[in-house]
Amino acid sequence: MVYAIAVCPLSEYDKLKAMDVKDSKTLSEEQRESLFKTINSNPQIIHWQVHVLHPAFISRNMLALYANNLNAISHSSALGLVKSLVNLGLNVKELYVDTVGPPVPYQEKFTKQFPDTETTVCAKADDLFPIVSAASICAKVCRDWICKNWKFEVPVTEDVEYGCGYPSDPKTSHWLESEAKRDPLFGFPNFVRFSWSTARNVIEKHCVGIEWPDEEEPEKVSRKRPANNTSINSFFHARSENEDEPKRMRQYFVNTHLKKVTEL
């Protein structure tokens, strides 16, 4: 997954609007590539950065014992991108963010971390604000380039195209099933996000099942202590309830003839 941020001087924002950038989802690949070249040829108007999250990183986080959901991962990435600009010394006066999940708590994260920035988090921001549209174009072009030029670390079915990587693409669905059938134990290479519901459905359908012993109902264990096993309670002594009974001094105080005094 690729997240992007774009920044434009307020004095140049009208020029950015004139570029006619739009939500990347509404553009063809040729239109995105053309606008991407326009963005890169105008560094005085717009600057952009991306944060690329490896599929294996997302899988580890979402399938871990203490898991992070995709929204939390996305929020962390977006906050990190803004922080990187602030660390460069940019005075970020206005911030527009396409929401992931409920917009109100998401916006609170930004206002808490960047209180001097006027932040707007809303749905379809990439369609409403040109600066967000530009960021979406940069993210989509970079993602497509990464997918097309991916270097597999393990053998894959070479004569089957994996498509664009979206479930709506028949090539992607066919490739997932082909890989799962080819390797029914591990399923896919790390090019695939295993936490993705589409991938998980293919795994359940075509891959071998695995039973984890620690998930089974544990057998009842006798609480009776073996004869040669000392109880931990034997290492402790109950405190005397008799207030008048003299307390035994520790050996250090006996050897050094030190005594406790209440008056000087």
Side-chain angles (χ1 to χ4, degrees), residues 181-250:
K181 292 176 181 178
R182 185 187 63 83
D183 188 351
L185 180 59
F186 295 103
F188 316 112
N190 61 9
F191 178 61
V192 177
R193 177 161 52 92
F194 281 74
S195 54
W196 183 28
S197 60
T198 302
R200 298 176 74 171
N201 291 338
V202 173
I203 289 175
E204 291 178 2
K205 182 179 179 181
H206 297 291
C207 294
V208 296
I210 299 177
E211 294 184 2
W212 301 99
D214 59 344
E215 293 183 355
E216 295 178 356
E217 186 70 22
E219 297 180 2
K220 292 184 178 180
V221 180
S222 174
R223 294 181 177 273
K224 184 177 180 181
R225 188 171 66 253
N228 61 346
N229 190 3
T230 306
S231 170
I232 193 173
N233 293 331
S234 64
F235 294 95
F236 301 92
H237 299 280
R239 184 175 180 178
S240 174
E241 297 181 358
N242 188 352
E243 296 289 342
D244 297 329
E245 181 180 338
K247 297 180 180 179
R248 180 183 175 183
M249 298 182 67
R250 296 190 178 273

Side-chain angles (χ1 to χ4, degrees), residues 4 17 30 41 56 58 61 76 82 91 107 109 114 123-124 148 182 193 198-200 219 232 251 256 258 260 264:
K17 293 179 180 178
E30 292 74 18
S41 62
I58 300 175
N61 275 269
S76 178
V82 177
N91 181 17
Q107 180 164 321
K109 293 182 179 181
F114 310 104
K124 298 183 178 180
K148 290 178 181 178
R182 185 187 63 83
R193 177 161 52 92
T198 302
R200 298 176 74 171
E219 297 180 2
I232 193 173
Q251 193 63 37
T256 55
L258 294 176
K260 181 180 179 181
L264 294 177

Side-chain angles (χ1 to χ4, degrees), residues 7-250:
V7 60
C8 171
L10 291 174
S11 59
E12 303 288 338
Y13 199 47
D14 287 338
K15 294 180 181 179
L16 174 63
K17 293 179 180 178
M19 291 183 184
D20 199 27
V21 290
K22 298 177 181 178
D23 177 10
S24 63
K25 295 188 292 295
T26 66
L27 302 173
S28 66
E29 182 177 359
E30 292 74 18
Q31 289 174 321
R32 287 193 298 268
E33 291 285 352
S34 176
L35 286 170
F36 186 63
K37 291 179 180 178
T38 302
I39 290 171
N40 287 327
S41 62
N42 290 276
Q44 75 282 2
I45 297 177
I46 185 170
H47 165 83
W48 60 272
Q49 290 183 5
V50 294
H51 183 206
V52 180
L53 299 180
H54 195 287
F57 171 83
I58 300 175
S59 296
R60 285 196 301 269
N61 275 269
M62 294 187 67
L63 301 176
L65 180 61
Y66 300 102
N68 282 325
N69 60 39
L70 200 57
N71 285 5
I73 296 173
S74 174
H75 294 180
S76 178
S77 179
L79 289 165
L81 284 168
V82 177
K83 188 175 181 179
S84 68
L85 294 182
V86 173
N87 290 340
L88 289 174
L90 272 67
N91 181 17
V92 182
K93 300 296 294 182
E94 298 178 10
L95 179 63
Y96 301 93
V97 184
D98 189 30
T99 191
V100 177
V104 175
Y106 191 17
Q107 180 164 321
E108 289 175 352
K109 293 182 179 181
F110 285 98
T111 55
K112 182 178 180 180
Q113 193 160 340
F114 310 104
D116 297 329
T117 301
E118 182 181 340
T119 302
T120 300
V121 177
C122 65
K124 298 183 178 180
D126 47 3
D127 192 38
L128 299 173
F129 306 104
I131 191 66
V132 185
S133 302
S136 73
I137 292 172
C138 296
K140 185 67 171 67
V141 171
C142 289
R143 179 198 178 276
D144 289 348
W145 186 91
I146 292 171
C147 289
K148 290 178 181 178
N149 296 275
W150 189 271
K151 302 298 182 183
F152 289 96
E153 299 176 356
V154 296
V156 295
T157 308
E158 296 182 357
D159 58 343
V160 179
E161 296 183 21
Y162 50 77
C164 66
Y166 295 111
S168 58
D169 187 348
K171 291 182 180 179
T172 298
S173 300
H174 178 59
W175 182 82
L176 287 172
E177 295 201 2
S178 297
E179 284 301 302
K181 292 176 181 178
R182 185 187 63 83
D183 188 351
L185 180 59
F186 295 103
F188 316 112
N190 61 9
F191 178 61
V192 177
R193 177 161 52 92
F194 281 74
S195 54
W196 183 28
S197 60
T198 302
R200 298 176 74 171
N201 291 338
V202 173
I203 289 175
E204 291 178 2
K205 182 179 179 181
H206 297 291
C207 294
V208 296
I210 299 177
E211 294 184 2
W212 301 99
D214 59 344
E215 293 183 355
E216 295 178 356
E217 186 70 22
E219 297 180 2
K220 292 184 178 180
V221 180
S222 174
R223 294 181 177 273
K224 184 177 180 181
R225 188 171 66 253
N228 61 346
N229 190 3
T230 306
S231 170
I232 193 173
N233 293 331
S234 64
F235 294 95
F236 301 92
H237 299 280
R239 184 175 180 178
S240 174
E241 297 181 358
N242 188 352
E243 296 289 342
D244 297 329
E245 181 180 338
K247 297 180 180 179
R248 180 183 175 183
M249 298 182 67
R250 296 190 178 273

